[in-house]
């Protein structure tokens, strides 16, 4: 199994902007068959070094991770993220 974690820092770090992006990310739930689980969390510390949002997903294999990456629902998320993010970082590892 593969755990896919992405951290997002938004250009607009207001609660409204963060909530809107969280909603976009959560909208993938139930739409991408390869996703075994999806969790979206917002930072509670809000320090300068903090990221605003964390996305944690689990898929069964690298092949499923690739299918997730190109799924139309994920591509909609990417389009939104590309508009609102300042920076993002990801890590993918076997569990």
């Amino acid at each position: 199994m593969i755990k896919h974690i992405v951290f997002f820092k938004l250009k607009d770090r207001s609660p409204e902007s963060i909530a809107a992006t969280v909603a976009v990310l959560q909208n993938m739930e139930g739409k991408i068959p390869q996703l075994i689980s999806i969790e979206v969390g917002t930072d509670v510390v809000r320090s300068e070094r903090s990221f605003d949002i964390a996305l944690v997903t689990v898929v069964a294999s690298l092949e499923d991770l690739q299918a997730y990456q190109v799924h139309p629902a994920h591509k909609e998320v990417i389009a939104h993220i590309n508009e609102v993010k300042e920076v993002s970082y990801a890590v993918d590892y076997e569990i």
Side-chain angles (χ1 to χ4, degrees):
M1 298 206 347
I2 305 293
K3 188 168 280 194
H4 172 67
I5 303 174
V6 187
F7 296 105
F8 303 98
K9 188 173 281 198
L10 305 184
K11 296 174 196 173
D12 175 359
R13 300 181 78 189
S14 69
E16 297 79 15
S17 175
I18 292 169
T21 297
V22 165
V24 167
L25 292 165
Q26 289 174 331
N27 192 44
M28 288 189 290
E29 189 165 9
K31 294 183 177 173
I32 303 174
Q34 291 80 12
L35 286 181
I36 294 170
S37 68
I38 180 171
E39 182 178 343
V40 181
T42 59
D43 181 59
V44 296
V45 175
R46 299 194 49 91
S47 73
E48 187 54 40
R49 68 183 273 257
S50 296
F51 281 75
D52 301 308
I53 301 168
L55 169 69
V56 180
T57 59
V58 175
V59 296
S61 65
L62 287 173
E63 293 80 14
D64 282 354
L65 180 62
Q66 180 57 33
Y68 158 73
Q69 295 291 340
V70 299
H71 191 280
H74 184 252
K75 289 191 171 217
E76 290 175 17
V77 169
I78 291 170
H80 172 82
I81 292 295
N82 284 338
E83 290 180 20
V84 300
K85 76 174 181 178
E86 179 178 312
V87 67
S88 65
Y89 292 103
V91 64
D92 302 287
Y93 60 92
E94 289 186 291
I95 55 173

